[in-house]
Amino acid sequence: MTSLNSGNPFACEAFLRTLPRLPQPLADAQRERIRVVLWDIQQRKPGVTQDIEALVEQDTVLQSHYEAAYTDLLRHYQANERAKSAAAAGSLTVEPSELERWAATILQTGDDVVAVARSVVKPMRTVVAVNTRSDFWERGDRIIALSAGGATLGAMIAQFPGAIIGGICAAIFAWSSYTPQSKQLDVRG
């Protein structure tokens, strides 16, 4: 997505995901400013991120919906990043060409950008992460980290015997306090 906007990788998608959330009808001036930004997205205009930010700052309603869409998009991205290590979760965001198609379709189909956006902008998929690592390895990661810390702390306090005792105590704590994380990450757009 960096080809669309090098400054903020989520701005264009968040803006497009904002449109279906807006109340209808829009004022003529607001609709025209939105259409200008849609044109910029479609044409991959440099600086489109700044245009989006300027437009959003001018209107409190647009700003609140944009911030909500941006937050949802960021949560979706973070959930996909967590799931990516365990299972293929698909694309992290919509491809730039898809964003351009959304913008072009909204521009071509008339003046009611909100109604058209509701039919064009696809919702974000729910991400399901299947944990393929066994509990032993999940616990092993935690044991290594905590026992190293315990051994270091024990060595600082009571030198070699303290390092042994601290490492063992931390390993026991890490093993016994481990609870598997949720197998499903549910993020809705």
Side-chain angles (χ1 to χ4, degrees), residues 23-98:
Q24 289 180 312
L26 296 175
D28 290 340
Q30 184 185 30
R31 186 175 56 245
E32 284 309 310
R33 289 191 306 266
I34 289 172
R35 291 177 68 76
V36 167
V37 171
L38 288 170
W39 176 259
D40 292 348
I41 292 171
Q42 180 189 2
Q43 298 299 315
R44 291 186 175 200
K45 178 186 170 210
V48 69
T49 302
Q50 290 80 13
D51 296 344
I52 291 170
E53 290 169 0
L55 175 61
V56 166
E57 288 175 3
Q58 294 173 0
D59 186 340
T60 57
V61 173
L62 183 62
Q63 183 176 21
S64 67
H65 289 290
Y66 176 80
E67 288 172 357
Y70 191 89
T71 302
D72 290 346
L73 185 62
L74 188 59
R75 255 191 239 122
H76 177 74
Y77 175 79
Q78 291 168 343
N80 276 339
E81 279 298 303
R82 286 191 302 268
K84 189 169 78 170
S85 65
S91 64
L92 299 177
T93 58
V94 176
E95 295 295 321
S97 59
E98 183 69 14

Side-chain angles (χ1 to χ4, degrees), residues 85-87 129-135 137-138 183:
S85 65
V130 178
N131 190 354
T132 58
R133 295 175 67 180
S134 71
D135 285 347
W137 293 113
E138 290 291 331
K183 302 289 185 199

